[in-house]
Amino acid sequence: VPYTFQDASLLDVRSYVGGGWENSSENKTFAVEDPADQQILANVSDSSVADYERAIDIANTAFKAYRQLTPSNRGQLLRNWAQAVRESSRDLAALCTLELGKPINESIKAVAYAASCLDWFANLADQGCGGETIPSSGNGGRNRIWTVRRPVGVVCAITPWNSPYSGVLKKIAPALAVGCTIVHKPAPETPLCAMALAKTCQRAGFPAGVYNVLASSPGRAAVVGSLFCSHPSVRHVTFTGSTAVGRYLAERCGANLKKITMELGGNAAFIVFDDADLDLAVRELIACKFNSSGQVCIYANRVLVHKGIEKAFTDRLLVAIQERVRLGSPWDDKVTLGPLYAKAGADKIEALRADALAKGASLHTPDVYEDGSTYYPPTVMTRITQEMRISHEEIFGPLVAISTFDKEEEAVSLANSVDTGLAGYVFTQNISRLFRVAEELQAGMVGAQTGSISAIEQPFGGVRDSGMGREGSIHALEEYTDIKSITLAL
Ligand code: ADP
């Protein structure tokens, strides 16, 4: 690894439970791979179901005192955490490049964004969660109702590998802001990032047991998930990952009446009308396709281009890719496209590409992918049709799949022809059409004249098979609180 850690104590393969660091009670470990060369990076403690159960009990005990802290106490702790993240920002960025293969410049930005998420929720924590006063007709008009928001209790979080800092903090920070305590299972691909983040949390001075992080091997995910959904002390399960796993967890939480936040898969349409500013659309598509090697759930999956501009758009896109997208080692600061998170990512893209080619798609970029590699070259295909798997499945990689439409209604109906509803994008210089289409898209989030929509103040989440609940924005606090109404008879 071409990097020397300034603070080696950030690197830990144990779990963070009850304010301390421990190995799994079974003394087992699992291997984590470097996506750049597919060699083993570390062996990480593989927590058992009993370890998670103990952590839930600890979090439940910690909740009793933590919920009593004042809003400004909790705000200060979150602000300390942001500071601790900033102090370790170089090392945290390097870990993200190491485990995820994210180009180092992107990793540095990702850590800065993570710290800003903590600051943002620190400010919300300071303000506290206010309630309302409601006039009532009860008791001859003498009743008054007021409401207070209460933290739900222990929250269990399950997170994926693709955003190991801000993706985690968007769940953890609002829950901590309102007074909940947490047991977190990070993705088995990025446990070192999770443990380093927990180190910075420990340094921020949170009381022991408020935030607990335990990693486990892929084979245990289902039993750990079942525990989270059924343990009587757990009040809320917050999950980001695939629709299939989200459905499984939501069913079990339903059976046990636990609250859920589900951030699931997407299949975003990126619509470009014939009156669009093509340079803008191309620039935004590059941002919405190649950052993080395209492994972001809100990124463009289906590029729908008006048939009159297909050639002009594709030609400009190919030039822009040539000029701006550079595939290579994630440690090279001129590289903008690193490896995929694992070989499984490349296998999926290859299968979608082969299926599309067999069904008549055209390939516009050199056919240079080396079988077995995690480095996937930027790829552009046109003549994509509904019969192809690529129109219905998440690509999650640097492959642009372009199809055409004629009328506005056709664009909207194609965009809405999938079961998911996470994000959508629309490019046109006609302001009425921009609003109309943005409102018609079945998606929780729309980029109108932009492909960069992520911001901590944005309500982030999907509709339909993309899940429920919102992260980011003040609505995130609602996820982790219940409303209590108090009726007073005057
Ligand atoms: P991805 O394809 O992004 O890895 P997954 O939904 O498989 O999506 O994984 C997201 C997170 O969910 C990871 O932390 C993973 O370990 C966890 N996970 C996978 N399967 C299950 C399951 N059956 N129950 C609970 N968590 C699971």
Side-chain angles (χ1 to χ4, degrees):
V1 177
Y3 181 81
T4 310
F5 284 88
Q6 288 157 17
D7 174 8
S9 71
L10 270 184
L11 306 173
D12 211 307
V13 294
R14 297 169 297 173
S15 315
Y16 180 55
V17 181
W21 294 86
E22 55 185 49
N23 288 315
S24 98
S25 57
E26 294 172 351
N27 251 322
K28 287 194 176 148
T29 60
F30 67 98
V32 183
E33 270 187 15
D34 179 345
D37 58 11
Q38 300 176 64
Q39 301 295 310
I40 293 178
L41 266 182
N43 288 299
V44 172
S45 178
D46 185 6
S47 306
S48 68
V49 169
D51 296 333
Y52 283 97
E53 264 179 320
R54 204 177 129 253
I56 291 170
D57 290 339
I58 287 172
N60 197 37
T61 304
F63 176 61
K64 293 175 182 62
Y66 183 66
R67 63 176 298 181
Q68 306 291 354
L69 293 189
T70 65
S72 65
N73 288 155
R74 289 196 292 264
Q76 188 57 50
L77 288 168
L78 286 164
R79 214 165 280 114
N80 295 349
W81 194 359
Q83 185 55 26
V85 166
R86 289 197 178 96
E87 277 163 17
S88 297
S89 58
R90 279 277 156 180
D91 285 348
L92 289 171
L95 265 180
C96 184
T97 294
L98 190 62
E99 274 191 316
L100 187 53
K102 202 176 174 73
I104 187 70
N105 282 334
E106 281 185 33
S107 294
I108 290 168
K109 284 188 200 142
V111 174
Y113 181 53
S116 74
C117 293
L118 283 164
D119 277 335
W120 203 82
F121 280 109
N123 291 338
L124 280 189
D126 278 346
Q127 290 171 31
C129 274
E132 34 187 3
T133 312
I134 305 169
S136 169
S137 302
N139 195 16
R142 286 189 297 277
N143 282 1
R144 300 287 177 274
I145 301 166
W146 82 82
T147 68
V148 286
R149 280 197 171 265
R150 288 282 176 252
V152 293
V154 176
V155 173
C156 284
I158 302 178
T159 53
W161 45 267
N162 66 337
S163 180
Y165 298 135
S166 65
V168 166
L169 291 174
K170 277 161 83 176
K171 296 183 180 303
I172 307 306
L176 291 177
V178 298
C180 292
T181 55
I182 297 156
V183 176
H184 172 206
K185 186 195 92 61
E189 293 85 358
T190 51
L192 297 179
C193 289
M195 296 312 164
L197 191 63
K199 276 266 148 96
T200 58
C201 177
Q202 183 180 26
R203 292 172 185 175
F206 279 91
V210 165
Y211 179 44
N212 307 278
V213 193
L214 303 89
S216 51
S217 54
R220 292 213 213 237
V223 282
V224 174
S226 292
L227 171 73
F228 286 1
C229 301
S230 60
H231 193 293
S233 301
V234 177
R235 297 310 337 148
H236 189 118
V237 175
T238 174
F239 171 78
T240 299
S242 59
T243 295
V245 173
R247 202 185 298 280
Y248 162 94
L249 295 171
E251 276 172 14
R252 277 156 187 76
C253 285
N256 296 308
L257 296 175
K258 298 199 191 301
K259 291 182 80 179
I260 51 175
T261 306
M262 292 281 148
E263 301 293 350
L264 311 179
N267 185 345
F270 187 101
I271 308 174
V272 187
F273 285 96
D274 54 356
D275 58 6
D277 173 342
L278 291 193
D279 289 329
L280 172 75
V282 162
R283 190 186 76 211
E284 295 300 299
L285 179 58
I286 293 222
C288 187
K289 193 72 217 180
F290 296 103
N291 282 345
S292 246
S293 301
Q295 305 169 116
V296 179
C297 53
I298 58 174
Y299 275 7
N301 204 63
R302 296 167 296 147
V303 180
L304 311 178
V305 175
H306 187 271
K307 65 178 189 191
I309 54 159
E310 185 198 16
K311 181 156 184 346
F313 181 82
T314 308
D315 288 348
R316 284 187 206 209
L317 177 66
L318 290 168
V319 170
I321 288 173
Q322 193 86 48
E323 285 173 0
R324 284 187 246 155
V325 181
R326 183 158 161 195
L327 180 69
S329 163
W331 298 99
D332 177 343
D333 64 5
K334 298 204 179 51
V335 159
T336 60
L337 183 62
L340 296 164
Y341 81 104
K343 189 177 155 291
D347 291 345
K348 167 90 185 284
I349 304 170
E350 274 293 271
L352 294 180
R353 193 186 86 122
D355 171 78
L357 284 178
K359 292 175 183 160
S362 306
L363 182 64
H364 296 264
T365 38
D367 189 2
V368 291
Y369 172 69
E370 275 174 40
D371 201 26
S373 170
T374 48
Y375 285 88
Y376 204 89
T379 303
V380 176
M381 297 174 94
T382 56
R383 299 168 63 99
I384 298 296
T385 62
Q386 287 290 87
E387 291 66 50
M388 299 171 184
R389 281 176 56 193
I390 209 162
S391 294
H392 307 281
E393 295 178 37
E394 268 186 302
I395 305 169
F396 239 61
L399 189 166
V400 182
I402 301 175
S403 51
T404 57
F405 65 88
D406 186 5
K407 299 267 179 323
E408 179 180 314
E409 303 77 65
E410 192 191 345
V412 171
S413 109
L414 272 175
N416 290 343
S417 66
V418 292
D419 296 327
T420 46
L422 193 60
Y425 303 87
V426 51
F427 288 80
T428 168
Q429 300 200 75
N430 175 332
I431 188 84
S432 316
R433 173 182 274 164
L434 189 68
F435 270 87
R436 207 164 47 230
V437 174
E439 291 195 5
E440 279 300 311
L441 289 181
Q442 284 172 2
M445 298 168 275
V446 173
Q449 294 279 72
T450 177
S452 315
I453 59 175
S454 247
I456 191 62
E457 60 276 15
Q458 172 218 25
F460 186 104
V463 298
R464 296 155 51 100
D465 281 5
S466 295
M468 58 200 71
R470 291 295 176 266
E471 297 188 332
S473 81
I474 60 172
H475 301 292
L477 302 187
E478 291 160 14
E479 300 284 313
Y480 303 107
T481 53
D482 286 319
I483 298 174
K484 175 189 276 185
S485 72
I486 299 172
T487 300
L488 169 76
L490 291 179

